[in-house]
Amino acid sequence: MHKKFVNHCTIDLSIIPDGPILIKSGKEGADPTKPDMEFVETYHAGGRTIYLPGSSLKGAIRAHAERIVRTVGEEKANTKNLPWANDPLNDKYEYLKNQSSSYIYKLSSFTDQMFGNTSIASRIRIEDAYPDNSKPVKTEERNGVAIDRLFGSVAVGPFNYQVCTAGEFKTKLHLKNFTLAQLGLIGLVLRDLNDGWFGLGFAKSRGLGTVEVKLNQAVVQYPGCILSEDKKEICAFGTSKKWRHTHLLGVGEFLTEDDAKLYSFPYKDSQDSPVAAQEMELGFGVQLTWKEGTVNDLFERSVRSWSQLLGVAK
C-alpha cells in the first residue's frame, strides 16, 4: 500500500520538559570542560542547539504502542482477532520471506504494520523536535554515581551529565495510509506520554524523561478526493464513492472490497466528526483540520475504531 497515497494525518505537537530530560549524544567530546554525558546537539536556525531526535521519539512511541497491544492482545497470532506485537528478540521474520507485499502486511503484527519491520516500510514518520525560540531552553549539569548493589560502595563515578529542565520542542508526526484504529493507538500513546506513564531518554527509572505533550493541530488529508459543488460531500477521483463532508476516513474506505481484503483493512472504516472538510492548497485534495484545543476530539473518534477492533465498543 505504499504505491498509493489515499489518506495522511499530520499531528503538530510540542514536547515540554516536566523535569530534567537527557537524550545522550552517541560520542564523548575531547573538551574537558564539558560533562561526561552531553545532550545531543545539531546546527539549526543558524546556530548550535540541543534537540530531540525523531528516531528517539519514534523508538519510545513504538515501545509503548507495543506495551498497549500486548496488554489487550497477545504476543502471538490468535483466533480472537486481537492486535498483537511480535517478539523483537526472537522473531527472525522467516515467514515473511518470498511473499507478496499484501501478504507480508497481512502476516505482520499490528505494530509492525504501523512502524515497519525488515520486510515492510513504516507508515509513521516523526520529525526532529527543535526548540521554540520564544521559549528559552535551560540546561544544567548534574552529578551522579553508580552504587555497587553487593557492597554498597561506589562502582562507577562520580560522573556528571547535562540535562534540559525547561523549553519547548516542536515536532510533527506523520501517518500515511492509516486505519482509524492505528490513529487511535497513536492517540493513546501520546496521552500516556503526557500523563507520565513512560518517559524519554536517559535514566527514566531515576526520575528523568517526563514531559508534557501539547497538541497544537492535526490535519487529515485525502489527496485523491475533491469536494462536491455544494461542499457537502467528499468525492473520490475515479470512483463513485462519496462521503459526508465531515467524515473521518480510514484507508479501507478508499479501496475496493477485494483490495481491502488483500491487506485485511476494514472496508468500512469511518467516523463522523464536527469538522467540515476544506480544499487542500492549490485546490486539489480535501482536508479536515483540528485546531489547538480540539485535537483530542480526533483521537477520541479514532479510539472508537480501536475499541471496535477489540470488540469493546460502547
Side-chain angles (χ1 to χ4, degrees), residues 15 39 42 44-45 48-52 128-138 164 166-171:
I15 298 174
F39 213 108
T42 190
H44 178 71
R48 196 161 182 84
T49 181
I50 65 172
Y51 74 110
L52 309 180
D128 291 341
Y130 294 109
D132 183 344
N133 291 332
S134 65
K135 307 289 177 64
V137 170
K138 295 181 180 180
C164 173
E168 184 171 319
F169 298 83
K170 302 193 72 173
T171 185

mmCIF file with all atom_site columns, all heavy atoms in Angstrom, residues 15 39 42 44-45 48-52 128-138 164 166-171:
data_model
loop_
_atom_site.group_PDB
_atom_site.id
_atom_site.type_symbol
_atom_site.label_atom_id
_atom_site.label_alt_id
_atom_site.label_comp_id
_atom_site.label_asym_id
_atom_site.label_entity_id
_atom_site.label_seq_id
_atom_site.pdbx_PDB_ins_code
_atom_site.Cartn_x
_atom_site.Cartn_y
_atom_site.Cartn_z
_atom_site.occupancy
_atom_site.B_iso_or_equiv
_atom_site.pdbx_formal_charge
_atom_site.auth_seq_id
_atom_site.auth_comp_id
_atom_site.auth_asym_id
_atom_site.auth_atom_id
_atom_site.pdbx_PDB_model_num
ATOM 1   N N   . ILE A 1 15  ? 6.719  19.278 22.741 1.00 0.00 ? 15  ILE A N   1
ATOM 2   C CA  . ILE A 1 15  ? 7.161  18.474 23.878 1.00 0.00 ? 15  ILE A CA  1
ATOM 3   C C   . ILE A 1 15  ? 7.843  19.406 24.865 1.00 0.00 ? 15  ILE A C   1
ATOM 4   O O   . ILE A 1 15  ? 8.824  20.073 24.528 1.00 0.00 ? 15  ILE A O   1
ATOM 5   C CB  . ILE A 1 15  ? 8.106  17.351 23.418 1.00 0.00 ? 15  ILE A CB  1
ATOM 6   C CG1 . ILE A 1 15  ? 7.365  16.397 22.468 1.00 0.00 ? 15  ILE A CG1 1
ATOM 7   C CG2 . ILE A 1 15  ? 8.671  16.597 24.619 1.00 0.00 ? 15  ILE A CG2 1
ATOM 8   C CD1 . ILE A 1 15  ? 8.254  15.347 21.847 1.00 0.00 ? 15  ILE A CD1 1
ATOM 9   N N   . PHE A 1 39  ? 24.061 16.296 26.081 1.00 0.00 ? 39  PHE A N   1
ATOM 10  C CA  . PHE A 1 39  ? 22.817 16.259 25.317 1.00 0.00 ? 39  PHE A CA  1
ATOM 11  C C   . PHE A 1 39  ? 23.179 16.279 23.827 1.00 0.00 ? 39  PHE A C   1
ATOM 12  O O   . PHE A 1 39  ? 24.118 16.951 23.409 1.00 0.00 ? 39  PHE A O   1
ATOM 13  C CB  . PHE A 1 39  ? 21.959 17.482 25.640 1.00 0.00 ? 39  PHE A CB  1
ATOM 14  C CG  . PHE A 1 39  ? 20.483 17.232 25.596 1.00 0.00 ? 39  PHE A CG  1
ATOM 15  C CD1 . PHE A 1 39  ? 19.732 17.186 26.757 1.00 0.00 ? 39  PHE A CD1 1
ATOM 16  C CD2 . PHE A 1 39  ? 19.828 17.040 24.384 1.00 0.00 ? 39  PHE A CD2 1
ATOM 17  C CE1 . PHE A 1 39  ? 18.357 16.966 26.720 1.00 0.00 ? 39  PHE A CE1 1
ATOM 18  C CE2 . PHE A 1 39  ? 18.483 16.828 24.330 1.00 0.00 ? 39  PHE A CE2 1
ATOM 19  C CZ  . PHE A 1 39  ? 17.724 16.778 25.494 1.00 0.00 ? 39  PHE A CZ  1
ATOM 20  N N   . THR A 1 42  ? 22.837 19.702 17.386 1.00 0.00 ? 42  THR A N   1
ATOM 21  C CA  . THR A 1 42  ? 22.904 19.843 15.939 1.00 0.00 ? 42  THR A CA  1
ATOM 22  C C   . THR A 1 42  ? 22.909 21.328 15.595 1.00 0.00 ? 42  THR A C   1
ATOM 23  O O   . THR A 1 42  ? 22.709 22.178 16.471 1.00 0.00 ? 42  THR A O   1
ATOM 24  C CB  . THR A 1 42  ? 21.713 19.149 15.260 1.00 0.00 ? 42  THR A CB  1
ATOM 25  O OG1 . THR A 1 42  ? 21.930 19.110 13.839 1.00 0.00 ? 42  THR A OG1 1
ATOM 26  C CG2 . THR A 1 42  ? 20.403 19.880 15.547 1.00 0.00 ? 42  THR A CG2 1
ATOM 27  N N   . HIS A 1 44  ? 20.959 24.273 13.825 1.00 0.00 ? 44  HIS A N   1
ATOM 28  C CA  . HIS A 1 44  ? 19.585 24.582 13.419 1.00 0.00 ? 44  HIS A CA  1
ATOM 29  C C   . HIS A 1 44  ? 19.335 26.073 13.585 1.00 0.00 ? 44  HIS A C   1
ATOM 30  O O   . HIS A 1 44  ? 19.759 26.672 14.578 1.00 0.00 ? 44  HIS A O   1
ATOM 31  C CB  . HIS A 1 44  ? 18.588 23.786 14.273 1.00 0.00 ? 44  HIS A CB  1
ATOM 32  C CG  . HIS A 1 44  ? 17.150 24.081 13.954 1.00 0.00 ? 44  HIS A CG  1
ATOM 33  N ND1 . HIS A 1 44  ? 16.552 23.671 12.785 1.00 0.00 ? 44  HIS A ND1 1
ATOM 34  C CD2 . HIS A 1 44  ? 16.194 24.755 14.655 1.00 0.00 ? 44  HIS A CD2 1
ATOM 35  C CE1 . HIS A 1 44  ? 15.296 24.074 12.769 1.00 0.00 ? 44  HIS A CE1 1
ATOM 36  N NE2 . HIS A 1 44  ? 15.060 24.730 13.892 1.00 0.00 ? 44  HIS A NE2 1
ATOM 37  N N   . ALA A 1 45  ? 18.660 26.659 12.608 1.00 0.00 ? 45  ALA A N   1
ATOM 38  C CA  . ALA A 1 45  ? 18.292 28.082 12.645 1.00 0.00 ? 45  ALA A CA  1
ATOM 39  C C   . ALA A 1 45  ? 19.510 28.982 12.881 1.00 0.00 ? 45  ALA A C   1
ATOM 40  O O   . ALA A 1 45  ? 19.453 29.937 13.662 1.00 0.00 ? 45  ALA A O   1
ATOM 41  C CB  . ALA A 1 45  ? 17.231 28.325 13.713 1.00 0.00 ? 45  ALA A CB  1
ATOM 42  N N   . ARG A 1 48  ? 24.105 26.386 16.964 1.00 0.00 ? 48  ARG A N   1
ATOM 43  C CA  . ARG A 1 48  ? 24.155 25.054 17.554 1.00 0.00 ? 48  ARG A CA  1
ATOM 44  C C   . ARG A 1 48  ? 23.158 24.971 18.702 1.00 0.00 ? 48  ARG A C   1
ATOM 45  O O   . ARG A 1 48  ? 23.060 25.884 19.526 1.00 0.00 ? 48  ARG A O   1
ATOM 46  C CB  . ARG A 1 48  ? 25.565 24.755 18.050 1.00 0.00 ? 48  ARG A CB  1
ATOM 47  C CG  . ARG A 1 48  ? 25.818 23.288 18.315 1.00 0.00 ? 48  ARG A CG  1
ATOM 48  C CD  . ARG A 1 48  ? 27.299 22.975 18.351 1.00 0.00 ? 48  ARG A CD  1
ATOM 49  N NE  . ARG A 1 48  ? 27.543 21.547 18.559 1.00 0.00 ? 48  ARG A NE  1
ATOM 50  C CZ  . ARG A 1 48  ? 27.539 20.650 17.580 1.00 0.00 ? 48  ARG A CZ  1
ATOM 51  N NH1 . ARG A 1 48  ? 27.333 21.046 16.334 1.00 0.00 ? 48  ARG A NH1 1
ATOM 52  N NH2 . ARG A 1 48  ? 27.771 19.371 17.837 1.00 0.00 ? 48  ARG A NH2 1
ATOM 53  N N   . THR A 1 49  ? 22.412 23.877 18.761 1.00 0.00 ? 49  THR A N   1
ATOM 54  C CA  . THR A 1 49  ? 21.366 23.747 19.768 1.00 0.00 ? 49  THR A CA  1
ATOM 55  C C   . THR A 1 49  ? 21.133 22.282 20.115 1.00 0.00 ? 49  THR A C   1
ATOM 56  O O   . THR A 1 49  ? 21.437 21.380 19.318 1.00 0.00 ? 49  THR A O   1
ATOM 57  C CB  . THR A 1 49  ? 20.041 24.357 19.245 1.00 0.00 ? 49  THR A CB  1
ATOM 58  O OG1 . THR A 1 49  ? 19.033 24.235 20.252 1.00 0.00 ? 49  THR A OG1 1
ATOM 59  C CG2 . THR A 1 49  ? 19.550 23.627 18.005 1.00 0.00 ? 49  THR A CG2 1
ATOM 60  N N   . ILE A 1 50  ? 20.612 22.034 21.308 1.00 0.00 ? 50  ILE A N   1
ATOM 61  C CA  . ILE A 1 50  ? 20.168 20.692 21.647 1.00 0.00 ? 50  ILE A CA  1
ATOM 62  C C   . ILE A 1 50  ? 18.827 20.441 20.950 1.00 0.00 ? 50  ILE A C   1
ATOM 63  O O   . ILE A 1 50  ? 18.116 21.375 20.581 1.00 0.00 ? 50  ILE A O   1
ATOM 64  C CB  . ILE A 1 50  ? 20.033 20.499 23.171 1.00 0.00 ? 50  ILE A CB  1
ATOM 65  C CG1 . ILE A 1 50  ? 18.926 21.392 23.740 1.00 0.00 ? 50  ILE A CG1 1
ATOM 66  C CG2 . ILE A 1 50  ? 21.350 20.758 23.871 1.00 0.00 ? 50  ILE A CG2 1
ATOM 67  C CD1 . ILE A 1 50  ? 18.607 21.112 25.198 1.00 0.00 ? 50  ILE A CD1 1
ATOM 68  N N   . TYR A 1 51  ? 18.476 19.184 20.770 1.00 0.00 ? 51  TYR A N   1
ATOM 69  C CA  . TYR A 1 51  ? 17.213 18.836 20.126 1.00 0.00 ? 51  TYR A CA  1
ATOM 70  C C   . TYR A 1 51  ? 16.823 17.418 20.513 1.00 0.00 ? 51  TYR A C   1
ATOM 71  O O   . TYR A 1 51  ? 17.619 16.683 21.130 1.00 0.00 ? 51  TYR A O   1
ATOM 72  C CB  . TYR A 1 51  ? 17.327 18.970 18.601 1.00 0.00 ? 51  TYR A CB  1
ATOM 73  C CG  . TYR A 1 51  ? 18.121 17.865 17.925 1.00 0.00 ? 51  TYR A CG  1
ATOM 74  C CD1 . TYR A 1 51  ? 17.478 16.912 17.126 1.00 0.00 ? 51  TYR A CD1 1
ATOM 75  C CD2 . TYR A 1 51  ? 19.498 17.760 18.081 1.00 0.00 ? 51  TYR A CD2 1
ATOM 76  C CE1 . TYR A 1 51  ? 18.197 15.889 16.510 1.00 0.00 ? 51  TYR A CE1 1
ATOM 77  C CE2 . TYR A 1 51  ? 20.219 16.758 17.467 1.00 0.00 ? 51  TYR A CE2 1
ATOM 78  C CZ  . TYR A 1 51  ? 19.565 15.813 16.678 1.00 0.00 ? 51  TYR A CZ  1
ATOM 79  O OH  . TYR A 1 51  ? 20.274 14.808 16.072 1.00 0.00 ? 51  TYR A OH  1
ATOM 80  N N   . LEU A 1 52  ? 15.605 17.024 20.168 1.00 0.00 ? 52  LEU A N   1
ATOM 81  C CA  . LEU A 1 52  ? 15.125 15.669 20.418 1.00 0.00 ? 52  LEU A CA  1
ATOM 82  C C   . LEU A 1 52  ? 15.052 14.944 19.078 1.00 0.00 ? 52  LEU A C   1
ATOM 83  O O   . LEU A 1 52  ? 14.204 15.280 18.245 1.00 0.00 ? 52  LEU A O   1
ATOM 84  C CB  . LEU A 1 52  ? 13.739 15.688 21.081 1.00 0.00 ? 52  LEU A CB  1
ATOM 85  C CG  . LEU A 1 52  ? 13.577 16.573 22.322 1.00 0.00 ? 52  LEU A CG  1
ATOM 86  C CD1 . LEU A 1 52  ? 12.154 16.472 22.855 1.00 0.00 ? 52  LEU A CD1 1
ATOM 87  C CD2 . LEU A 1 52  ? 14.579 16.189 23.389 1.00 0.00 ? 52  LEU A CD2 1
ATOM 88  N N   . ASP A 1 128 ? 12.479 15.549 13.702 1.00 0.00 ? 128 ASP A N   1
ATOM 89  C CA  . ASP A 1 128 ? 13.266 16.003 14.853 1.00 0.00 ? 128 ASP A CA  1
ATOM 90  C C   . ASP A 1 128 ? 12.534 17.149 15.542 1.00 0.00 ? 128 ASP A C   1
ATOM 91  O O   . ASP A 1 128 ? 11.909 17.991 14.891 1.00 0.00 ? 128 ASP A O   1
ATOM 92  C CB  . ASP A 1 128 ? 14.643 16.487 14.401 1.00 0.00 ? 128 ASP A CB  1
ATOM 93  C CG  . ASP A 1 128 ? 15.535 15.357 13.900 1.00 0.00 ? 128 ASP A CG  1
ATOM 94  O OD1 . ASP A 1 128 ? 15.254 14.191 14.222 1.00 0.00 ? 128 ASP A OD1 1
ATOM 95  O OD2 . ASP A 1 128 ? 16.507 15.663 13.172 1.00 0.00 ? 128 ASP A OD2 1
ATOM 96  N N   . ALA A 1 129 ? 12.620 17.171 16.861 1.00 0.00 ? 129 ALA A N   1
ATOM 97  C CA  . ALA A 1 129 ? 11.969 18.234 17.645 1.00 0.00 ? 129 ALA A CA  1
ATOM 98  C C   . ALA A 1 129 ? 13.001 19.295 17.999 1.00 0.00 ? 129 ALA A C   1
ATOM 99  O O   . ALA A 1 129 ? 13.956 19.019 18.730 1.00 0.00 ? 129 ALA A O   1
ATOM 100 C CB  . ALA A 1 129 ? 11.347 17.644 18.913 1.00 0.00 ? 129 ALA A CB  1
ATOM 101 N N   . TYR A 1 130 ? 12.780 20.508 17.464 1.00 0.00 ? 130 TYR A N   1
ATOM 102 C CA  . TYR A 1 130 ? 13.710 21.614 17.687 1.00 0.00 ? 130 TYR A CA  1
ATOM 103 C C   . TYR A 1 130 ? 13.116 22.622 18.673 1.00 0.00 ? 130 TYR A C   1
ATOM 104 O O   . TYR A 1 130 ? 11.896 22.774 18.759 1.00 0.00 ? 130 TYR A O   1
ATOM 105 C CB  . TYR A 1 130 ? 14.030 22.303 16.369 1.00 0.00 ? 130 TYR A CB  1
ATOM 106 C CG  . TYR A 1 130 ? 14.786 21.432 15.395 1.00 0.00 ? 130 TYR A CG  1
ATOM 107 C CD1 . TYR A 1 130 ? 14.161 20.951 14.241 1.00 0.00 ? 130 TYR A CD1 1
ATOM 108 C CD2 . TYR A 1 130 ? 16.115 21.086 15.617 1.00 0.00 ? 130 TYR A CD2 1
ATOM 109 C CE1 . TYR A 1 130 ? 14.852 20.147 13.348 1.00 0.00 ? 130 TYR A CE1 1
ATOM 110 C CE2 . TYR A 1 130 ? 16.809 20.281 14.734 1.00 0.00 ? 130 TYR A CE2 1
ATOM 111 C CZ  . TYR A 1 130 ? 16.173 19.815 13.595 1.00 0.00 ? 130 TYR A CZ  1
ATOM 112 O OH  . TYR A 1 130 ? 16.858 19.021 12.718 1.00 0.00 ? 130 TYR A OH  1
ATOM 113 N N   . PRO A 1 131 ? 13.967 23.335 19.406 1.00 0.00 ? 131 PRO A N   1
ATOM 114 C CA  . PRO A 1 131 ? 13.465 24.304 20.391 1.00 0.00 ? 131 PRO A CA  1
ATOM 115 C C   . PRO A 1 131 ? 12.667 25.428 19.747 1.00 0.00 ? 131 PRO A C   1
ATOM 116 O O   . PRO A 1 131 ? 13.013 25.911 18.664 1.00 0.00 ? 131 PRO A O   1
ATOM 117 C CB  . PRO A 1 131 ? 14.739 24.841 21.053 1.00 0.00 ? 131 PRO A CB  1
ATOM 118 C CG  . PRO A 1 131 ? 15.789 23.825 20.774 1.00 0.00 ? 131 PRO A CG  1
ATOM 119 C CD  . PRO A 1 131 ? 15.441 23.233 19.444 1.00 0.00 ? 131 PRO A CD  1
ATOM 120 N N   . ASP A 1 132 ? 11.602 25.831 20.414 1.00 0.00 ? 132 ASP A N   1
ATOM 121 C CA  . ASP A 1 132 ? 10.840 27.021 20.033 1.00 0.00 ? 132 ASP A CA  1
ATOM 122 C C   . ASP A 1 132 ? 11.602 28.231 20.565 1.00 0.00 ? 132 ASP A C   1
ATOM 123 O O   . ASP A 1 132 ? 11.825 28.353 21.776 1.00 0.00 ? 132 ASP A O   1
ATOM 124 C CB  . ASP A 1 132 ? 9.440  26.940 20.631 1.00 0.00 ? 132 ASP A CB  1
ATOM 125 C CG  . ASP A 1 132 ? 8.556  28.110 20.222 1.00 0.00 ? 132 ASP A CG  1
ATOM 126 O OD1 . ASP A 1 132 ? 9.087  29.123 19.745 1.00 0.00 ? 132 ASP A OD1 1
ATOM 127 O OD2 . ASP A 1 132 ? 7.326  28.012 20.404 1.00 0.00 ? 132 ASP A OD2 1
ATOM 128 N N   . ASN A 1 133 ? 12.006 29.118 19.681 1.00 0.00 ? 133 ASN A N   1
ATOM 129 C CA  . ASN A 1 133 ? 12.843 30.257 20.082 1.00 0.00 ? 133 ASN A CA  1
ATOM 130 C C   . ASN A 1 133 ? 12.147 31.189 21.069 1.00 0.00 ? 133 ASN A C   1
ATOM 131 O O   . ASN A 1 133 ? 12.806 31.953 21.787 1.00 0.00 ? 133 ASN A O   1
ATOM 132 C CB  . ASN A 1 133 ? 13.278 31.048 18.849 1.00 0.00 ? 133 ASN A CB  1
ATOM 133 C CG  . ASN A 1 133 ? 14.251 30.275 17.981 1.00 0.00 ? 133 ASN A CG  1
ATOM 134 O OD1 . ASN A 1 133 ? 14.991 29.428 18.476 1.00 0.00 ? 133 ASN A OD1 1
ATOM 135 N ND2 . ASN A 1 133 ? 14.245 30.545 16.681 1.00 0.00 ? 133 ASN A ND2 1
ATOM 136 N N   . SER A 1 134 ? 10.818 31.143 21.107 1.00 0.00 ? 134 SER A N   1
ATOM 137 C CA  . SER A 1 134 ? 10.090 32.013 22.037 1.00 0.00 ? 134 SER A CA  1
ATOM 138 C C   . SER A 1 134 ? 10.091 31.458 23.461 1.00 0.00 ? 134 SER A C   1
ATOM 139 O O   . SER A 1 134 ? 9.686  32.153 24.395 1.00 0.00 ? 134 SER A O   1
ATOM 140 C CB  . SER A 1 134 ? 8.652  32.211 21.559 1.00 0.00 ? 134 SER A CB  1
ATOM 141 O OG  . SER A 1 134 ? 7.932  30.982 21.591 1.00 0.00 ? 134 SER A OG  1
ATOM 142 N N   . LYS A 1 135 ? 10.529 30.194 23.636 1.00 0.00 ? 135 LYS A N   1
ATOM 143 C CA  . LYS A 1 135 ? 10.590 29.572 24.958 1.00 0.00 ? 135 LYS A CA  1
ATOM 144 C C   . LYS A 1 135 ? 12.040 29.158 25.225 1.00 0.00 ? 135 LYS A C   1
ATOM 145 O O   . LYS A 1 135 ? 12.485 28.110 24.744 1.00 0.00 ? 135 LYS A O   1
ATOM 146 C CB  . LYS A 1 135 ? 9.680  28.341 25.014 1.00 0.00 ? 135 LYS A CB  1
ATOM 147 C CG  . LYS A 1 135 ? 8.239  28.609 24.574 1.00 0.00 ? 135 LYS A CG  1
ATOM 148 C CD  . LYS A 1 135 ? 7.499  29.449 25.582 1.00 0.00 ? 135 LYS A CD  1
ATOM 149 C CE  . LYS A 1 135 ? 6.087  29.762 25.088 1.00 0.00 ? 135 LYS A CE  1
ATOM 150 N NZ  . LYS A 1 135 ? 5.241  28.575 24.934 1.00 0.00 ? 135 LYS A NZ  1
ATOM 151 N N   . PRO A 1 136 ? 12.803 29.987 25.923 1.00 0.00 ? 136 PRO A N   1
ATOM 152 C CA  . PRO A 1 136 ? 14.236 29.724 26.120 1.00 0.00 ? 136 PRO A CA  1
ATOM 153 C C   . PRO A 1 136 ? 14.502 28.344 26.734 1.00 0.00 ? 136 PRO A C   1
ATOM 154 O O   . PRO A 1 136 ? 13.827 27.927 27.680 1.00 0.00 ? 136 PRO A O   1
ATOM 155 C CB  . PRO A 1 136 ? 14.679 30.838 27.073 1.00 0.00 ? 136 PRO A CB  1
ATOM 156 C CG  . PRO A 1 136 ? 13.659 31.929 26.897 1.00 0.00 ? 136 PRO A CG  1
ATOM 157 C CD  . PRO A 1 136 ? 12.366 31.224 26.606 1.00 0.00 ? 136 PRO A CD  1
ATOM 158 N N   . VAL A 1 137 ? 15.484 27.665 26.164 1.00 0.00 ? 137 VAL A N   1
ATOM 159 C CA  . VAL A 1 137 ? 15.904 26.360 26.684 1.00 0.00 ? 137 VAL A CA  1
ATOM 160 C C   . VAL A 1 137 ? 16.873 26.563 27.840 1.00 0.00 ? 137 VAL A C   1
ATOM 161 O O   . VAL A 1 137 ? 17.788 27.400 27.767 1.00 0.00 ? 137 VAL A O   1
ATOM 162 C CB  . VAL A 1 137 ? 16.576 25.534 25.559 1.00 0.00 ? 137 VAL A CB  1
ATOM 163 C CG1 . VAL A 1 137 ? 17.240 24.288 26.139 1.00 0.00 ? 137 VAL A CG1 1
ATOM 164 C CG2 . VAL A 1 137 ? 15.558 25.152 24.502 1.00 0.00 ? 137 VAL A CG2 1
ATOM 165 N N   . LYS A 1 138 ? 16.655 25.818 28.917 1.00 0.00 ? 138 LYS A N   1
ATOM 166 C CA  . LYS A 1 138 ? 17.552 25.882 30.071 1.00 0.00 ? 138 LYS A CA  1
ATOM 167 C C   . LYS A 1 138 ? 18.190 24.516 30.291 1.00 0.00 ? 138 LYS A C   1
ATOM 168 O O   . LYS A 1 138 ? 17.498 23.500 30.332 1.00 0.00 ? 138 LYS A O   1
ATOM 169 C CB  . LYS A 1 138 ? 16.794 26.308 31.329 1.00 0.00 ? 138 LYS A CB  1
ATOM 170 C CG  . LYS A 1 138 ? 16.227 27.719 31.262 1.00 0.00 ? 138 LYS A CG  1
ATOM 171 C CD  . LYS A 1 138 ? 15.511 28.090 32.549 1.00 0.00 ? 138 LYS A CD  1
ATOM 172 C CE  . LYS A 1 138 ? 14.946 29.517 32.485 1.00 0.00 ? 138 LYS A CE  1
ATOM 173 N NZ  . LYS A 1 138 ? 14.235 29.893 33.724 1.00 0.00 ? 138 LYS A NZ  1
ATOM 174 N N   . CYS A 1 164 ? 18.234 18.952 30.306 1.00 0.00 ? 164 CYS A N   1
ATOM 175 C CA  . CYS A 1 164 ? 17.406 20.096 29.936 1.00 0.00 ? 164 CYS A CA  1
ATOM 176 C C   . CYS A 1 164 ? 16.232 20.143 30.909 1.00 0.00 ? 164 CYS A C   1
ATOM 177 O O   . CYS A 1 164 ? 15.560 19.134 31.130 1.00 0.00 ? 164 CYS A O   1
ATOM 178 C CB  . CYS A 1 164 ? 16.903 19.949 28.500 1.00 0.00 ? 164 CYS A CB  1
ATOM 179 S SG  . CYS A 1 164 ? 15.713 21.216 27.999 1.00 0.00 ? 164 CYS A SG  1
ATOM 180 N N   . ALA A 1 166 ? 13.975 23.084 30.988 1.00 0.00 ? 166 ALA A N   1
ATOM 181 C CA  . ALA A 1 166 ? 12.914 23.995 30.537 1.00 0.00 ? 166 ALA A CA  1
ATOM 182 C C   . ALA A 1 166 ? 13.069 24.249 29.047 1.00 0.00 ? 166 ALA A C   1
ATOM 183 O O   . ALA A 1 166 ? 14.142 24.090 28.471 1.00 0.00 ? 166 ALA A O   1
ATOM 184 C CB  . ALA A 1 166 ? 12.960 25.313 31.312 1.00 0.00 ? 166 ALA A CB  1
ATOM 185 N N   . GLY A 1 167 ? 11.966 24.640 28.422 1.00 0.00 ? 167 GLY A N   1
ATOM 186 C CA  . GLY A 1 167 ? 11.957 24.908 26.993 1.00 0.00 ? 167 GLY A CA  1
ATOM 187 C C   . GLY A 1 167 ? 10.745 24.252 26.360 1.00 0.00 ? 167 GLY A C   1
ATOM 188 O O   . GLY A 1 167 ? 9.891  23.670 27.049 1.00 0.00 ? 167 GLY A O   1
ATOM 189 N N   . GLU A 1 168 ? 10.667 24.348 25.066 1.00 0.00 ? 168 GLU A N   1
ATOM 190 C CA  . GLU A 1 168 ? 9.571  23.730 24.321 1.00 0.00 ? 168 GLU A CA  1
ATOM 191 C C   . GLU A 1 168 ? 10.114 23.284 22.975 1.00 0.00 ? 168 GLU A C   1
ATOM 192 O O   . GLU A 1 168 ? 10.704 24.079 22.244 1.00 0.00 ? 168 GLU A O   1
ATOM 193 C CB  . GLU A 1 168 ? 8.409  24.709 24.144 1.00 0.00 ? 168 GLU A CB  1
ATOM 194 C CG  . GLU A 1 168 ? 7.193  24.106 23.468 1.00 0.00 ? 168 GLU A CG  1
ATOM 195 C CD  . GLU A 1 168 ? 5.982  25.025 23.509 1.00 0.00 ? 168 GLU A CD  1
ATOM 196 O OE1 . GLU A 1 168 ? 5.754  25.654 24.570 1.00 0.00 ? 168 GLU A OE1 1
ATOM 197 O OE2 . GLU A 1 168 ? 5.279  25.124 22.478 1.00 0.00 ? 168 GLU A OE2 1
ATOM 198 N N   . PHE A 1 169 ? 9.924  22.009 22.658 1.00 0.00 ? 169 PHE A N   1
ATOM 199 C CA  . PHE A 1 169 ? 10.458 21.428 21.431 1.00 0.00 ? 169 PHE A CA  1
ATOM 200 C C   . PHE A 1 169 ? 9.294  21.083 20.504 1.00 0.00 ? 169 PHE A C   1
ATOM 201 O O   . PHE A 1 169 ? 8.395  20.330 20.876 1.00 0.00 ? 169 PHE A O   1
ATOM 202 C CB  . PHE A 1 169 ? 11.278 20.178 21.741 1.00 0.00 ? 169 PHE A CB  1
ATOM 203 C CG  . PHE A 1 169 ? 12.485 20.437 22.604 1.00 0.00 ? 169 PHE A CG  1
ATOM 204 C CD1 . PHE A 1 169 ? 12.360 20.506 23.995 1.00 0.00 ? 169 PHE A CD1 1
ATOM 205 C CD2 . PHE A 1 169 ? 13.737 20.615 22.043 1.00 0.00 ? 169 PHE A CD2 1
ATOM 206 C CE1 . PHE A 1 169 ? 13.465 20.748 24.797 1.00 0.00 ? 169 PHE A CE1 1
ATOM 207 C CE2 . PHE A 1 169 ? 14.847 20.849 22.837 1.00 0.00 ? 169 PHE A CE2 1
ATOM 208 C CZ  . PHE A 1 169 ? 14.717 20.921 24.219 1.00 0.00 ? 169 PHE A CZ  1
ATOM 209 N N   . LYS A 1 170 ? 9.324  21.624 19.292 1.00 0.00 ? 170 LYS A N   1
ATOM 210 C CA  . LYS A 1 170 ? 8.223  21.446 18.348 1.00 0.00 ? 170 LYS A CA  1
ATOM 211 C C   . LYS A 1 170 ? 8.578  20.388 17.311 1.00 0.00 ? 170 LYS A C   1
ATOM 212 O O   . LYS A 1 170 ? 9.705  20.356 16.790 1.00 0.00 ? 170 LYS A O   1
ATOM 213 C CB  . LYS A 1 170 ? 7.891  22.770 17.658 1.00 0.00 ? 170 LYS A CB  1
ATOM 214 C CG  . LYS A 1 170 ? 7.508  23.889 18.624 1.00 0.00 ? 170 LYS A CG  1
ATOM 215 C CD  . LYS A 1 170 ? 6.888  25.079 17.918 1.00 0.00 ? 170 LYS A CD  1
ATOM 216 C CE  . LYS A 1 170 ? 5.495  24.750 17.430 1.00 0.00 ? 170 LYS A CE  1
ATOM 217 N NZ  . LYS A 1 170 ? 4.792  25.955 16.884 1.00 0.00 ? 170 LYS A NZ  1
ATOM 218 N N   . THR A 1 171 ? 7.618  19.531 17.008 1.00 0.00 ? 171 THR A N   1
ATOM 219 C CA  . THR A 1 171 ? 7.821  18.474 16.022 1.00 0.00 ? 171 THR A CA  1
ATOM 220 C C   . THR A 1 171 ? 6.510  18.149 15.347 1.00 0.00 ? 171 THR A C   1
ATOM 221 O O   . THR A 1 171 ? 5.444  18.678 15.709 1.00 0.00 ? 171 THR A O   1
ATOM 222 C CB  . THR A 1 171 ? 8.408  17.210 16.689 1.00 0.00 ? 171 THR A CB  1
ATOM 223 O OG1 . THR A 1 171 ? 8.712  16.238 15.679 1.00 0.00 ? 171 THR A OG1 1
ATOM 224 C CG2 . THR A 1 171 ? 7.428  16.600 17.676 1.00 0.00 ? 171 THR A CG2 1
#
